Amino acid sequence: MAEIKKATPVKSRTRAVRGVRLAAKAADHKAAPQKLKMLITVVDRNKTEFYMDLIQSFGVNMQFCASAKGTASSEILSIMGLEEREKKVIFSVIREEEAPRALRMLEKKFATIKNGKGIAMTVPLSSMIGVSLYRFLSDNRKGG
């Protein structure tokens, strides 16, 4: 007579395999995803390239700029001794941990560069569609 072996129940094998897969996934993703912020910088038109290059040095992969104009009337500008200048607004996506360093550097440059005044602020991004897009924007091409 042939010997009959008792088969392992399917349910317990599935759980074991699922456990191994979850452990492998956890090993691949050791840390939570990095949060992103939108860095908005307003500068004089002729200093736009300089500031875009500076911001890019903080791991920023996506930036765009738009033309802008101040809202102060010409009377106010003349009283304060200011000229009406064309401005550019630079929109950059930056990792949350890099944002404070970038803001400090921008503040330093605003104070030390001739005609390099500007303002900068960040706005948190709460969600994003697509893993590939997130990896590109967070300068995370390896997927960790």
PDB file of all heavy atoms in Angstrom, residues 38-49 51-52 55 62-71 85-93 106 110 117-121 123:
ATOM      1  N   MET A  38       5.588  73.187  -1.438  1.00  0.00           N
ATOM      2  CA  MET A  38       5.704  74.102  -2.568  1.00  0.00           C
ATOM      3  C   MET A  38       6.429  75.340  -2.041  1.00  0.00           C
ATOM      4  O   MET A  38       5.947  75.996  -1.114  1.00  0.00           O
ATOM      5  CB  MET A  38       4.324  74.486  -3.099  1.00  0.00           C
ATOM      6  CG  MET A  38       4.348  75.499  -4.224  1.00  0.00           C
ATOM      7  SD  MET A  38       5.026  74.874  -5.757  1.00  0.00           S
ATOM      8  CE  MET A  38       3.758  73.753  -6.269  1.00  0.00           C
ATOM      9  N   LEU A  39       7.587  75.621  -2.601  1.00  0.00           N
ATOM     10  CA  LEU A  39       8.355  76.808  -2.244  1.00  0.00           C
ATOM     11  C   LEU A  39       8.001  77.895  -3.247  1.00  0.00           C
ATOM     12  O   LEU A  39       8.181  77.713  -4.449  1.00  0.00           O
ATOM     13  CB  LEU A  39       9.854  76.507  -2.273  1.00  0.00           C
ATOM     14  CG  LEU A  39      10.815  77.675  -2.095  1.00  0.00           C
ATOM     15  CD1 LEU A  39      10.646  78.319  -0.718  1.00  0.00           C
ATOM     16  CD2 LEU A  39      12.245  77.204  -2.277  1.00  0.00           C
ATOM     17  N   ILE A  40       7.467  78.999  -2.745  1.00  0.00           N
ATOM     18  CA  ILE A  40       7.053  80.112  -3.604  1.00  0.00           C
ATOM     19  C   ILE A  40       7.996  81.280  -3.321  1.00  0.00           C
ATOM     20  O   ILE A  40       8.105  81.728  -2.182  1.00  0.00           O
ATOM     21  CB  ILE A  40       5.592  80.507  -3.332  1.00  0.00           C
ATOM     22  CG1 ILE A  40       4.691  79.288  -3.539  1.00  0.00           C
ATOM     23  CG2 ILE A  40       5.177  81.674  -4.229  1.00  0.00           C
ATOM     24  CD1 ILE A  40       3.293  79.457  -2.997  1.00  0.00           C
ATOM     25  N   THR A  41       8.679  81.746  -4.365  1.00  0.00           N
ATOM     26  CA  THR A  41       9.667  82.807  -4.225  1.00  0.00           C
ATOM     27  C   THR A  41       9.333  83.922  -5.213  1.00  0.00           C
ATOM     28  O   THR A  41       9.121  83.658  -6.392  1.00  0.00           O
ATOM     29  CB  THR A  41      11.081  82.262  -4.525  1.00  0.00           C
ATOM     30  OG1 THR A  41      11.273  81.047  -3.814  1.00  0.00           O
ATOM     31  CG2 THR A  41      12.151  83.250  -4.131  1.00  0.00           C
ATOM     32  N   VAL A  42       9.296  85.153  -4.727  1.00  0.00           N
ATOM     33  CA  VAL A  42       9.025  86.317  -5.575  1.00  0.00           C
ATOM     34  C   VAL A  42      10.295  87.157  -5.630  1.00  0.00           C
ATOM     35  O   VAL A  42      10.810  87.576  -4.586  1.00  0.00           O
ATOM     36  CB  VAL A  42       7.851  87.164  -5.028  1.00  0.00           C
ATOM     37  CG1 VAL A  42       7.574  88.350  -5.948  1.00  0.00           C
ATOM     38  CG2 VAL A  42       6.614  86.316  -4.837  1.00  0.00           C
ATOM     39  N   VAL A  43      10.822  87.361  -6.843  1.00  0.00           N
ATOM     40  CA  VAL A  43      12.078  88.094  -7.024  1.00  0.00           C
ATOM     41  C   VAL A  43      11.963  89.038  -8.224  1.00  0.00           C
ATOM     42  O   VAL A  43      11.038  88.924  -9.026  1.00  0.00           O
ATOM     43  CB  VAL A  43      13.266  87.128  -7.229  1.00  0.00           C
ATOM     44  CG1 VAL A  43      13.507  86.287  -5.992  1.00  0.00           C
ATOM     45  CG2 VAL A  43      13.066  86.243  -8.434  1.00  0.00           C
ATOM     46  N   ASP A  44      12.938  89.951  -8.346  1.00  0.00           N
ATOM     47  CA  ASP A  44      12.999  90.805  -9.531  1.00  0.00           C
ATOM     48  C   ASP A  44      13.232  89.948 -10.770  1.00  0.00           C
ATOM     49  O   ASP A  44      13.911  88.916 -10.708  1.00  0.00           O
ATOM     50  CB  ASP A  44      14.145  91.810  -9.405  1.00  0.00           C
ATOM     51  CG  ASP A  44      13.785  92.990  -8.511  1.00  0.00           C
ATOM     52  OD1 ASP A  44      12.589  93.203  -8.259  1.00  0.00           O
ATOM     53  OD2 ASP A  44      14.720  93.693  -8.064  1.00  0.00           O
ATOM     54  N   ARG A  45      12.691  90.387 -11.874  1.00  0.00           N
ATOM     55  CA  ARG A  45      12.762  89.620 -13.120  1.00  0.00           C
ATOM     56  C   ARG A  45      14.199  89.309 -13.519  1.00  0.00           C
ATOM     57  O   ARG A  45      14.514  88.208 -13.939  1.00  0.00           O
ATOM     58  CB  ARG A  45      12.064  90.397 -14.237  1.00  0.00           C
ATOM     59  CG  ARG A  45      12.029  89.672 -15.560  1.00  0.00           C
ATOM     60  CD  ARG A  45      11.298  90.470 -16.614  1.00  0.00           C
ATOM     61  NE  ARG A  45      11.819  91.809 -16.773  1.00  0.00           N
ATOM     62  CZ  ARG A  45      12.801  92.158 -17.609  1.00  0.00           C
ATOM     63  NH1 ARG A  45      13.359  91.237 -18.366  1.00  0.00           N
ATOM     64  NH2 ARG A  45      13.218  93.383 -17.692  1.00  0.00           N
ATOM     65  N   ASN A  46      15.102  90.274 -13.355  1.00  0.00           N
ATOM     66  CA  ASN A  46      16.483  90.066 -13.805  1.00  0.00           C
ATOM     67  C   ASN A  46      17.291  89.139 -12.892  1.00  0.00           C
ATOM     68  O   ASN A  46      18.403  88.769 -13.241  1.00  0.00           O
ATOM     69  CB  ASN A  46      17.201  91.400 -13.982  1.00  0.00           C
ATOM     70  CG  ASN A  46      17.259  92.202 -12.700  1.00  0.00           C
ATOM     71  OD1 ASN A  46      16.602  91.880 -11.723  1.00  0.00           O
ATOM     72  ND2 ASN A  46      18.043  93.260 -12.705  1.00  0.00           N
ATOM     73  N   LYS A  47      16.767  88.748 -11.750  1.00  0.00           N
ATOM     74  CA  LYS A  47      17.462  87.825 -10.843  1.00  0.00           C
ATOM     75  C   LYS A  47      16.848  86.418 -10.850  1.00  0.00           C
ATOM     76  O   LYS A  47      17.256  85.552 -10.076  1.00  0.00           O
ATOM     77  CB  LYS A  47      17.429  88.366  -9.403  1.00  0.00           C
ATOM     78  CG  LYS A  47      18.101  89.704  -9.221  1.00  0.00           C
ATOM     79  CD  LYS A  47      19.588  89.579  -9.388  1.00  0.00           C
ATOM     80  CE  LYS A  47      20.244  90.938  -9.088  1.00  0.00           C
ATOM     81  NZ  LYS A  47      21.662  90.917  -9.308  1.00  0.00           N
ATOM     82  N   THR A  48      15.904  86.183 -11.732  1.00  0.00           N
ATOM     83  CA  THR A  48      15.173  84.918 -11.736  1.00  0.00           C
ATOM     84  C   THR A  48      16.091  83.719 -11.943  1.00  0.00           C
ATOM     85  O   THR A  48      16.012  82.740 -11.193  1.00  0.00           O
ATOM     86  CB  THR A  48      14.088  84.934 -12.835  1.00  0.00           C
ATOM     87  OG1 THR A  48      13.268  86.073 -12.654  1.00  0.00           O
ATOM     88  CG2 THR A  48      13.237  83.689 -12.782  1.00  0.00           C
ATOM     89  N   GLU A  49      16.950  83.756 -12.940  1.00  0.00           N
ATOM     90  CA  GLU A  49      17.827  82.620 -13.237  1.00  0.00           C
ATOM     91  C   GLU A  49      18.739  82.302 -12.055  1.00  0.00           C
ATOM     92  O   GLU A  49      18.961  81.134 -11.734  1.00  0.00           O
ATOM     93  CB  GLU A  49      18.662  82.892 -14.492  1.00  0.00           C
ATOM     94  CG  GLU A  49      17.863  82.899 -15.773  1.00  0.00           C
ATOM     95  CD  GLU A  49      17.218  81.549 -16.064  1.00  0.00           C
ATOM     96  OE1 GLU A  49      17.858  80.499 -15.834  1.00  0.00           O
ATOM     97  OE2 GLU A  49      16.064  81.551 -16.520  1.00  0.00           O
ATOM     98  N   TYR A  51      18.212  82.831  -8.833  1.00  0.00           N
ATOM     99  CA  TYR A  51      17.464  82.194  -7.747  1.00  0.00           C
ATOM    100  C   TYR A  51      16.969  80.802  -8.131  1.00  0.00           C
ATOM    101  O   TYR A  51      16.935  79.906  -7.286  1.00  0.00           O
ATOM    102  CB  TYR A  51      16.317  83.093  -7.285  1.00  0.00           C
ATOM    103  CG  TYR A  51      16.812  84.222  -6.408  1.00  0.00           C
ATOM    104  CD1 TYR A  51      16.794  85.535  -6.850  1.00  0.00           C
ATOM    105  CD2 TYR A  51      17.326  83.964  -5.151  1.00  0.00           C
ATOM    106  CE1 TYR A  51      17.264  86.562  -6.054  1.00  0.00           C
ATOM    107  CE2 TYR A  51      17.805  84.985  -4.354  1.00  0.00           C
ATOM    108  CZ  TYR A  51      17.779  86.287  -4.805  1.00  0.00           C
ATOM    109  OH  TYR A  51      18.252  87.296  -4.013  1.00  0.00           O
ATOM    110  N   MET A  52      16.625  80.581  -9.380  1.00  0.00           N
ATOM    111  CA  MET A  52      16.220  79.232  -9.801  1.00  0.00           C
ATOM    112  C   MET A  52      17.387  78.255  -9.672  1.00  0.00           C
ATOM    113  O   MET A  52      17.210  77.114  -9.208  1.00  0.00           O
ATOM    114  CB  MET A  52      15.670  79.250 -11.224  1.00  0.00           C
ATOM    115  CG  MET A  52      14.305  79.900 -11.316  1.00  0.00           C
ATOM    116  SD  MET A  52      13.606  79.871 -12.959  1.00  0.00           S
ATOM    117  CE  MET A  52      12.913  78.232 -12.993  1.00  0.00           C
ATOM    118  N   ILE A  55      17.921  77.555  -5.878  1.00  0.00           N
ATOM    119  CA  ILE A  55      16.893  76.654  -5.350  1.00  0.00           C
ATOM    120  C   ILE A  55      17.124  75.230  -5.848  1.00  0.00           C
ATOM    121  O   ILE A  55      16.950  74.260  -5.107  1.00  0.00           O
ATOM    122  CB  ILE A  55      15.490  77.166  -5.726  1.00  0.00           C
ATOM    123  CG1 ILE A  55      15.198  78.487  -5.001  1.00  0.00           C
ATOM    124  CG2 ILE A  55      14.421  76.138  -5.401  1.00  0.00           C
ATOM    125  CD1 ILE A  55      13.992  79.240  -5.519  1.00  0.00           C
ATOM    126  N   MET A  62      11.723  70.163 -10.053  1.00  0.00           N
ATOM    127  CA  MET A  62      10.671  70.799 -10.845  1.00  0.00           C
ATOM    128  C   MET A  62      10.459  72.222 -10.354  1.00  0.00           C
ATOM    129  O   MET A  62      10.224  72.440  -9.174  1.00  0.00           O
ATOM    130  CB  MET A  62       9.362  70.008 -10.717  1.00  0.00           C
ATOM    131  CG  MET A  62       8.311  70.333 -11.759  1.00  0.00           C
ATOM    132  SD  MET A  62       7.304  71.822 -11.552  1.00  0.00           S
ATOM    133  CE  MET A  62       6.522  71.593 -10.000  1.00  0.00           C
ATOM    134  N   GLN A  63      10.596  73.159 -11.269  1.00  0.00           N
ATOM    135  CA  GLN A  63      10.327  74.569 -10.975  1.00  0.00           C
ATOM    136  C   GLN A  63       9.687  75.196 -12.207  1.00  0.00           C
ATOM    137  O   GLN A  63       9.961  74.780 -13.317  1.00  0.00           O
ATOM    138  CB  GLN A  63      11.605  75.362 -10.715  1.00  0.00           C
ATOM    139  CG  GLN A  63      12.589  74.805  -9.779  1.00  0.00           C
ATOM    140  CD  GLN A  63      13.710  75.798  -9.512  1.00  0.00           C
ATOM    141  OE1 GLN A  63      13.501  76.805  -8.875  1.00  0.00           O
ATOM    142  NE2 GLN A  63      14.885  75.511 -10.018  1.00  0.00           N
ATOM    143  N   PHE A  64       8.877  76.185 -11.976  1.00  0.00           N
ATOM    144  CA  PHE A  64       8.421  77.019 -13.082  1.00  0.00           C
ATOM    145  C   PHE A  64       8.222  78.423 -12.553  1.00  0.00           C
ATOM    146  O   PHE A  64       8.077  78.638 -11.354  1.00  0.00           O
ATOM    147  CB  PHE A  64       7.159  76.468 -13.760  1.00  0.00           C
ATOM    148  CG  PHE A  64       5.916  76.498 -12.908  1.00  0.00           C
ATOM    149  CD1 PHE A  64       5.026  77.557 -12.977  1.00  0.00           C
ATOM    150  CD2 PHE A  64       5.625  75.445 -12.050  1.00  0.00           C
ATOM    151  CE1 PHE A  64       3.882  77.565 -12.209  1.00  0.00           C
ATOM    152  CE2 PHE A  64       4.492  75.446 -11.278  1.00  0.00           C
ATOM    153  CZ  PHE A  64       3.609  76.516 -11.350  1.00  0.00           C
ATOM    154  N   CYS A  65       8.278  79.379 -13.446  1.00  0.00           N
ATOM    155  CA  CYS A  65       8.115  80.760 -12.997  1.00  0.00           C
ATOM    156  C   CYS A  65       7.040  81.440 -13.837  1.00  0.00           C
ATOM    157  O   CYS A  65       6.751  81.036 -14.959  1.00  0.00           O
ATOM    158  CB  CYS A  65       9.431  81.519 -13.048  1.00  0.00           C
ATOM    159  SG  CYS A  65      10.135  81.718 -14.670  1.00  0.00           S
ATOM    160  N   ALA A  66       6.465  82.456 -13.230  1.00  0.00           N
ATOM    161  CA  ALA A  66       5.408  83.225 -13.880  1.00  0.00           C
ATOM    162  C   ALA A  66       5.687  84.708 -13.665  1.00  0.00           C
ATOM    163  O   ALA A  66       6.243  85.104 -12.635  1.00  0.00           O
ATOM    164  CB  ALA A  66       4.051  82.850 -13.285  1.00  0.00           C
ATOM    165  N   SER A  67       5.321  85.519 -14.632  1.00  0.00           N
ATOM    166  CA  SER A  67       5.478  86.967 -14.502  1.00  0.00           C
ATOM    167  C   SER A  67       4.496  87.503 -13.483  1.00  0.00           C
ATOM    168  O   SER A  67       3.397  86.977 -13.320  1.00  0.00           O
ATOM    169  CB  SER A  67       5.233  87.648 -15.849  1.00  0.00           C
ATOM    170  OG  SER A  67       6.195  87.225 -16.780  1.00  0.00           O
ATOM    171  N   ALA A  68       4.913  88.551 -12.794  1.00  0.00           N
ATOM    172  CA  ALA A  68       4.063  89.148 -11.763  1.00  0.00           C
ATOM    173  C   ALA A  68       4.301  90.653 -11.727  1.00  0.00           C
ATOM    174  O   ALA A  68       5.287  91.159 -12.261  1.00  0.00           O
ATOM    175  CB  ALA A  68       4.371  88.532 -10.402  1.00  0.00           C
ATOM    176  N   LYS A  69       3.375  91.332 -11.100  1.00  0.00           N
ATOM    177  CA  LYS A  69       3.482  92.771 -10.952  1.00  0.00           C
ATOM    178  C   LYS A  69       2.930  93.131  -9.580  1.00  0.00           C
ATOM    179  O   LYS A  69       1.920  92.580  -9.147  1.00  0.00           O
ATOM    180  CB  LYS A  69       2.675  93.471 -12.049  1.00  0.00           C
ATOM    181  CG  LYS A  69       2.858  94.956 -12.095  1.00  0.00           C
ATOM    182  CD  LYS A  69       2.138  95.549 -13.281  1.00  0.00           C
ATOM    183  CE  LYS A  69       2.355  97.049 -13.280  1.00  0.00           C
ATOM    184  NZ  LYS A  69       1.680  97.690 -14.399  1.00  0.00           N
ATOM    185  N   GLY A  70       3.602  94.048  -8.903  1.00  0.00           N
ATOM    186  CA  GLY A  70       3.162  94.456  -7.576  1.00  0.00           C
ATOM    187  C   GLY A  70       1.821  95.170  -7.622  1.00  0.00           C
ATOM    188  O   GLY A  70       1.389  95.657  -8.669  1.00  0.00           O
ATOM    189  N   THR A  71       1.165  95.244  -6.471  1.00  0.00           N
ATOM    190  CA  THR A  71      -0.156  95.875  -6.410  1.00  0.00           C
ATOM    191  C   THR A  71      -0.122  97.298  -5.877  1.00  0.00           C
ATOM    192  O   THR A  71      -1.154  97.960  -5.845  1.00  0.00           O
ATOM    193  CB  THR A  71      -1.103  95.045  -5.525  1.00  0.00           C
ATOM    194  OG1 THR A  71      -0.541  94.939  -4.222  1.00  0.00           O
ATOM    195  CG2 THR A  71      -1.321  93.667  -6.124  1.00  0.00           C
ATOM    196  N   ARG A  85       8.877  97.639 -10.657  1.00  0.00           N
ATOM    197  CA  ARG A  85       9.691  96.656 -11.371  1.00  0.00           C
ATOM    198  C   ARG A  85       8.852  95.433 -11.666  1.00  0.00           C
ATOM    199  O   ARG A  85       7.972  95.072 -10.903  1.00  0.00           O
ATOM    200  CB  ARG A  85      10.885  96.227 -10.537  1.00  0.00           C
ATOM    201  CG  ARG A  85      11.863  97.325 -10.296  1.00  0.00           C
ATOM    202  CD  ARG A  85      13.062  96.775  -9.592  1.00  0.00           C
ATOM    203  NE  ARG A  85      14.015  97.846  -9.346  1.00  0.00           N
ATOM    204  CZ  ARG A  85      15.059  97.738  -8.568  1.00  0.00           C
ATOM    205  NH1 ARG A  85      15.298  96.597  -7.967  1.00  0.00           N
ATOM    206  NH2 ARG A  85      15.868  98.747  -8.389  1.00  0.00           N
ATOM    207  N   GLU A  86       9.223  94.796 -12.746  1.00  0.00           N
ATOM    208  CA  GLU A  86       8.571  93.527 -13.061  1.00  0.00           C
ATOM    209  C   GLU A  86       9.144  92.461 -12.144  1.00  0.00           C
ATOM    210  O   GLU A  86      10.339  92.438 -11.862  1.00  0.00           O
ATOM    211  CB  GLU A  86       8.827  93.150 -14.513  1.00  0.00           C
ATOM    212  CG  GLU A  86       8.090  94.023 -15.494  1.00  0.00           C
ATOM    213  CD  GLU A  86       8.294  93.533 -16.915  1.00  0.00           C
ATOM    214  OE1 GLU A  86       8.391  92.310 -17.121  1.00  0.00           O
ATOM    215  OE2 GLU A  86       8.361  94.391 -17.799  1.00  0.00           O
ATOM    216  N   LYS A  87       8.299  91.592 -11.680  1.00  0.00           N
ATOM    217  CA  LYS A  87       8.694  90.506 -10.778  1.00  0.00           C
ATOM    218  C   LYS A  87       8.437  89.166 -11.453  1.00  0.00           C
ATOM    219  O   LYS A  87       7.710  89.069 -12.430  1.00  0.00           O
ATOM    220  CB  LYS A  87       7.880  90.557  -9.470  1.00  0.00           C
ATOM    221  CG  LYS A  87       7.954  91.862  -8.733  1.00  0.00           C
ATOM    222  CD  LYS A  87       9.260  92.009  -8.035  1.00  0.00           C
ATOM    223  CE  LYS A  87       9.263  93.302  -7.218  1.00  0.00           C
ATOM    224  NZ  LYS A  87      10.564  93.575  -6.688  1.00  0.00           N
ATOM    225  N   LYS A  88       9.058  88.153 -10.912  1.00  0.00           N
ATOM    226  CA  LYS A  88       8.798  86.773 -11.308  1.00  0.00           C
ATOM    227  C   LYS A  88       8.488  85.995 -10.039  1.00  0.00           C
ATOM    228  O   LYS A  88       9.092  86.222  -8.992  1.00  0.00           O
ATOM    229  CB  LYS A  88      10.005  86.132 -11.992  1.00  0.00           C
ATOM    230  CG  LYS A  88      10.300  86.680 -13.367  1.00  0.00           C
ATOM    231  CD  LYS A  88       9.434  86.031 -14.405  1.00  0.00           C
ATOM    232  CE  LYS A  88       9.920  86.427 -15.798  1.00  0.00           C
ATOM    233  NZ  LYS A  88       9.231  85.723 -16.835  1.00  0.00           N
ATOM    234  N   VAL A  89       7.539  85.079 -10.152  1.00  0.00           N
ATOM    235  CA  VAL A  89       7.214  84.187  -9.054  1.00  0.00           C
ATOM    236  C   VAL A  89       7.724  82.803  -9.453  1.00  0.00           C
ATOM    237  O   VAL A  89       7.362  82.293 -10.513  1.00  0.00           O
ATOM    238  CB  VAL A  89       5.701  84.133  -8.784  1.00  0.00           C
ATOM    239  CG1 VAL A  89       5.399  83.210  -7.613  1.00  0.00           C
ATOM    240  CG2 VAL A  89       5.150  85.530  -8.514  1.00  0.00           C
ATOM    241  N   ILE A  90       8.587  82.236  -8.615  1.00  0.00           N
ATOM    242  CA  ILE A  90       9.158  80.915  -8.869  1.00  0.00           C
ATOM    243  C   ILE A  90       8.425  79.911  -7.985  1.00  0.00           C
ATOM    244  O   ILE A  90       8.371  80.076  -6.770  1.00  0.00           O
ATOM    245  CB  ILE A  90      10.665  80.878  -8.558  1.00  0.00           C
ATOM    246  CG1 ILE A  90      11.409  81.961  -9.330  1.00  0.00           C
ATOM    247  CG2 ILE A  90      11.236  79.491  -8.843  1.00  0.00           C
ATOM    248  CD1 ILE A  90      12.831  82.179  -8.862  1.00  0.00           C
ATOM    249  N   PHE A  91       7.868  78.888  -8.600  1.00  0.00           N
ATOM    250  CA  PHE A  91       7.193  77.809  -7.874  1.00  0.00           C
ATOM    251  C   PHE A  91       8.103  76.585  -7.952  1.00  0.00           C
ATOM    252  O   PHE A  91       8.433  76.133  -9.048  1.00  0.00           O
ATOM    253  CB  PHE A  91       5.836  77.493  -8.508  1.00  0.00           C
ATOM    254  CG  PHE A  91       4.870  78.642  -8.457  1.00  0.00           C
ATOM    255  CD1 PHE A  91       4.793  79.548  -9.506  1.00  0.00           C
ATOM    256  CD2 PHE A  91       4.044  78.819  -7.363  1.00  0.00           C
ATOM    257  CE1 PHE A  91       3.903  80.606  -9.475  1.00  0.00           C
ATOM    258  CE2 PHE A  91       3.145  79.874  -7.320  1.00  0.00           C
ATOM    259  CZ  PHE A  91       3.070  80.777  -8.370  1.00  0.00           C
ATOM    260  N   SER A  92       8.493  76.055  -6.795  1.00  0.00           N
ATOM    261  CA  SER A  92       9.404  74.913  -6.733  1.00  0.00           C
ATOM    262  C   SER A  92       8.842  73.878  -5.773  1.00  0.00           C
ATOM    263  O   SER A  92       8.315  74.229  -4.727  1.00  0.00           O
ATOM    264  CB  SER A  92      10.780  75.352  -6.217  1.00  0.00           C
ATOM    265  OG  SER A  92      11.229  76.518  -6.852  1.00  0.00           O
ATOM    266  N   VAL A  93       8.988  72.601  -6.121  1.00  0.00           N
ATOM    267  CA  VAL A  93       8.597  71.522  -5.205  1.00  0.00           C
ATOM    268  C   VAL A  93       9.865  71.052  -4.512  1.00  0.00           C
ATOM    269  O   VAL A  93      10.832  70.670  -5.176  1.00  0.00           O
ATOM    270  CB  VAL A  93       7.907  70.368  -5.953  1.00  0.00           C
ATOM    271  CG1 VAL A  93       7.565  69.239  -4.996  1.00  0.00           C
ATOM    272  CG2 VAL A  93       6.645  70.872  -6.648  1.00  0.00           C
ATOM    273  N   LEU A 106      17.931  81.616   1.054  1.00  0.00           N
ATOM    274  CA  LEU A 106      17.257  82.687   0.312  1.00  0.00           C
ATOM    275  C   LEU A 106      17.252  83.983   1.118  1.00  0.00           C
ATOM    276  O   LEU A 106      17.525  85.062   0.575  1.00  0.00           O
ATOM    277  CB  LEU A 106      15.830  82.268  -0.040  1.00  0.00           C
ATOM    278  CG  LEU A 106      15.707  81.230  -1.154  1.00  0.00           C
ATOM    279  CD1 LEU A 106      14.294  80.669  -1.209  1.00  0.00           C
ATOM    280  CD2 LEU A 106      16.097  81.827  -2.495  1.00  0.00           C
ATOM    281  N   PHE A 110      18.810  87.408  -0.141  1.00  0.00           N
ATOM    282  CA  PHE A 110      17.981  88.616  -0.258  1.00  0.00           C
ATOM    283  C   PHE A 110      18.667  89.805   0.426  1.00  0.00           C
ATOM    284  O   PHE A 110      18.549  90.941  -0.020  1.00  0.00           O
ATOM    285  CB  PHE A 110      16.603  88.410   0.382  1.00  0.00           C
ATOM    286  CG  PHE A 110      15.702  87.444  -0.347  1.00  0.00           C
ATOM    287  CD1 PHE A 110      14.682  86.803   0.326  1.00  0.00           C
ATOM    288  CD2 PHE A 110      15.864  87.165  -1.690  1.00  0.00           C
ATOM    289  CE1 PHE A 110      13.840  85.912  -0.321  1.00  0.00           C
ATOM    290  CE2 PHE A 110      15.031  86.271  -2.352  1.00  0.00           C
ATOM    291  CZ  PHE A 110      14.018  85.644  -1.656  1.00  0.00           C
ATOM    292  N   LYS A 117      16.521  91.637  -3.674  1.00  0.00           N
ATOM    293  CA  LYS A 117      15.466  91.494  -2.665  1.00  0.00           C
ATOM    294  C   LYS A 117      14.368  90.566  -3.169  1.00  0.00           C
ATOM    295  O   LYS A 117      14.152  90.422  -4.361  1.00  0.00           O
ATOM    296  CB  LYS A 117      14.850  92.858  -2.331  1.00  0.00           C
ATOM    297  CG  LYS A 117      15.837  93.884  -1.829  1.00  0.00           C
ATOM    298  CD  LYS A 117      16.124  93.676  -0.381  1.00  0.00           C
ATOM    299  CE  LYS A 117      16.964  94.808   0.163  1.00  0.00           C
ATOM    300  NZ  LYS A 117      18.191  94.355   0.720  1.00  0.00           N
ATOM    301  N   GLY A 118      13.671  89.959  -2.228  1.00  0.00           N
ATOM    302  CA  GLY A 118      12.567  89.088  -2.591  1.00  0.00           C
ATOM    303  C   GLY A 118      11.868  88.564  -1.351  1.00  0.00           C
ATOM    304  O   GLY A 118      12.216  88.930  -0.225  1.00  0.00           O
ATOM    305  N   ILE A 119      10.894  87.732  -1.570  1.00  0.00           N
ATOM    306  CA  ILE A 119      10.200  87.067  -0.470  1.00  0.00           C
ATOM    307  C   ILE A 119      10.069  85.595  -0.827  1.00  0.00           C
ATOM    308  O   ILE A 119      10.054  85.229  -2.008  1.00  0.00           O
ATOM    309  CB  ILE A 119       8.808  87.678  -0.176  1.00  0.00           C
ATOM    310  CG1 ILE A 119       7.915  87.602  -1.416  1.00  0.00           C
ATOM    311  CG2 ILE A 119       8.913  89.098   0.327  1.00  0.00           C
ATOM    312  CD1 ILE A 119       6.473  87.974  -1.157  1.00  0.00           C
ATOM    313  N   ALA A 120       9.994  84.761   0.205  1.00  0.00           N
ATOM    314  CA  ALA A 120       9.854  83.317  -0.027  1.00  0.00           C
ATOM    315  C   ALA A 120       9.006  82.721   1.086  1.00  0.00           C
ATOM    316  O   ALA A 120       9.042  83.189   2.228  1.00  0.00           O
ATOM    317  CB  ALA A 120      11.216  82.649  -0.068  1.00  0.00           C
ATOM    318  N   MET A 121       8.236  81.699   0.740  1.00  0.00           N
ATOM    319  CA  MET A 121       7.408  80.993   1.713  1.00  0.00           C
ATOM    320  C   MET A 121       7.172  79.583   1.214  1.00  0.00           C
ATOM    321  O   MET A 121       7.413  79.279   0.043  1.00  0.00           O
ATOM    322  CB  MET A 121       6.071  81.702   1.906  1.00  0.00           C
ATOM    323  CG  MET A 121       5.217  81.716   0.668  1.00  0.00           C
ATOM    324  SD  MET A 121       3.713  82.610   0.946  1.00  0.00           S
ATOM    325  CE  MET A 121       3.323  83.101  -0.705  1.00  0.00           C
ATOM    326  N   VAL A 123       4.394  76.127   1.289  1.00  0.00           N
ATOM    327  CA  VAL A 123       3.039  75.636   1.511  1.00  0.00           C
ATOM    328  C   VAL A 123       3.118  74.113   1.452  1.00  0.00           C
ATOM    329  O   VAL A 123       3.652  73.564   0.485  1.00  0.00           O
ATOM    330  CB  VAL A 123       2.069  76.158   0.418  1.00  0.00           C
ATOM    331  CG1 VAL A 123       0.672  75.609   0.631  1.00  0.00           C
ATOM    332  CG2 VAL A 123       2.066  77.674   0.380  1.00  0.00           C
TER     333      VAL A 123
END
